[in-house]
Amino acid sequence: MEPSIILDESARENGLAIMLADLIRQNLEQRPEKVKAFNLLRAAVAITATDAEVSLTLYFNHGSCVVLDGLVGKPDLHIEAESEAILGLSTVPVRCYLPNLLDPSGQKMVKDLLGGALKVHGMAFHPLTLLLLTNVFSVSE
Amino acid sequence: MPIDFPSEEWTKAYKEAINNDPEYKTAGATWEAGPLAFVVSAEPAIGMEQDVAFVLDVHKGECRDAYITEMDEAQKQPFVITGSYAQWKAVIKKELDPIKGMMQGKLKLKGNLPIIVRHVKAAQVLVSNAARIDTRFMDE
C-alpha cells in the first residue's frame, strides 16, 4: 500500500503543516526504507513552533497520516520548540531505528531536551512512537 | 547609496555580499542542489504591478550568478520561495526569520524539503546576507 499523507482543509494556510506534510511525503518517496516505520505508526502527534505560534496535529494510522491545523484531541506526544529546533529534529541521523546521539545534531537535541528548549510531552509513555517518528522525519543520509 | 529592491542592481549587490561572506563559504560548502528563485508577489499599492523574480545560482559556498528573471523561468528552478513585498522587506531587514516565516505561511517554499532541511544553516546565512545591502524599499 502506498503511504498516504493528507493535508486537511483546515491546515491549508498553516505553513508548518504544509512543510511537514511535504517533508514526510518526499522523505518516504526518496527513502523507501522509511515506509516500514511509517506503516508501524499509529498515534496522534502534536507539534507547536512556539516562536511562530503555530501548531498542528498529525494523525498516523498504519500507512496513512492526516495533518490538521492546531491542537486537536488528546495527542500521545506533543513536541514544543522554536522553529529552528523543530527542523533540527529532522537532521538527527538514525541507525537501526535509534537516533545517533553522538552526532552533533543528536547532541543538540539532547541539550535542548535537558535545557527545556525542546519539550516532548508524553515521551515517557510513548517511547516507541517517538523512535518511529524520528525515523520518519529524519532527512539525514 | 541605497539600491532599489527589487532590481538587477540589487541582485548583483546580493551576489557580491554572499561571495564576500566567509560564513557562507563554510555553511554552503556542501550545497549542490541548484539555484534558488525568490518571487516577490505583485503589490500595485506601492507601484509593483507584476510579480518580480530573481535567481541566485549558488553552488558549494559560492554565488555563481544572480539575476532578475521571468516568472516561468523562476518556476523552473529547483527551489522557489514566494512572499509578499512586505514579507521580503521584513526578511531583508532581519525582522522575520525565513524559517519562522515559512512555518507561519508568510513565505511559501516549493522544492525538495529534505534537501533544504539538511542545509537549513546555509539557507539562513544566505538570506542574512541580504541585510548587508544598503536597500531602498519601494514603500518608503
Side-chain angles (χ1 to χ4, degrees):
Chain A
M1 191 180 78
E2 284 286 302
S4 157
I5 297 103
I6 298 162
L7 185 67
D8 185 73
E9 195 66 40
S10 66
R12 295 287 153 98
E13 296 300 318
N14 181 324
L16 177 61
I18 295 166
M19 284 175 81
L20 288 185
D22 284 347
L23 183 74
I24 297 170
R25 191 179 299 115
Q26 293 173 357
N27 227 9
L28 296 178
E29 283 168 7
Q30 292 162 27
R31 310 275 297 277
E33 71 273 16
K34 292 184 177 292
V35 173
K36 196 174 170 186
F38 181 74
N39 287 342
L40 286 170
L41 264 172
R42 187 175 188 281
V45 179
I47 299 176
T48 299
T50 50
D51 55 338
E53 297 177 330
V54 179
S55 294
L56 62 85
T57 306
L58 302 152
Y59 274 94
F60 293 95
N61 190 7
H62 298 309
S64 72
C65 174
V66 179
V67 187
L68 300 157
D69 181 43
L71 301 176
V72 181
K74 196 170 178 298
D76 302 301
L77 289 176
H78 183 187
I79 300 168
E80 284 185 278
E82 293 200 345
S83 314
E84 205 178 325
I86 286 175
L87 281 193
L89 289 175
S90 301
T91 62
V92 179
V94 172
R95 293 282 175 272
C96 303
Y97 286 89
L98 296 171
N100 180 356
L101 301 181
L102 299 176
D103 180 87
S105 305
Q107 289 177 353
K108 169 83 167 55
M109 182 182 74
V110 173
K111 193 177 159 196
D112 284 350
L113 266 173
L114 295 175
L118 168 66
K119 292 175 186 160
V120 186
H121 307 284
M123 183 167 59
F125 298 104
H126 302 280
L128 185 60
T129 298
L130 186 58
L131 285 180
L132 293 171
L133 191 71
T134 310
N135 273 264
V136 170
F137 277 140
S138 174
V139 298
S140 191
E141 289 178 323
Chain B
M1 193 174 151
I3 305 169
D4 290 330
F5 173 81
S7 65
E8 193 68 49
E9 195 187 356
W10 192 90
T11 60
K12 298 298 176 209
Y14 195 7
K15 176 188 171 187
E16 203 179 312
I18 295 163
N19 287 336
N20 285 334
D21 179 14
E23 193 184 357
Y24 184 70
K25 272 190 178 45
T26 308
T30 56
W31 180 266
E32 297 176 90
L36 297 108
F38 297 78
V39 176
V40 188
S41 304
E43 206 144 331
I46 59 166
M48 218 177 89
E49 302 294 337
Q50 292 179 329
D51 293 354
V52 176
F54 65 93
V55 170
L56 295 182
D57 180 6
V58 284
H59 184 75
K60 291 187 172 179
E62 182 200 358
C63 183
R64 300 188 291 198
D65 202 2
Y67 53 92
I68 296 269
T69 191
E70 298 294 327
M71 208 47 58
D72 56 348
E73 187 60 32
Q75 295 297 340
K76 287 180 195 163
Q77 303 305 319
F79 300 92
V80 184
I81 309 171
T82 304
S84 70
Y85 194 88
Q87 305 302 355
W88 282 121
K89 180 179 170 181
V91 169
I92 293 166
K93 294 178 93 171
K94 285 193 164 180
E95 292 166 358
L96 175 65
D97 175 81
I99 301 301
K100 189 172 148 183
M102 284 180 204
M103 290 191 173
Q104 291 174 324
K106 291 175 177 174
L107 300 174
K108 298 194 189 310
L109 170 72
K110 194 180 89 182
N112 190 319
L113 210 58
I115 290 180
I116 287 282
V117 172
R118 277 199 288 273
H119 295 88
V120 72
K121 176 71 179 164
Q124 283 176 315
V125 176
L126 183 76
V127 171
S128 72
N129 271 292
R132 293 159 56 176
I133 305 166
D134 187 8
T135 303
R136 180 168 52 225
F137 295 99
M138 293 173 76
D139 57 350
E140 288 181 351

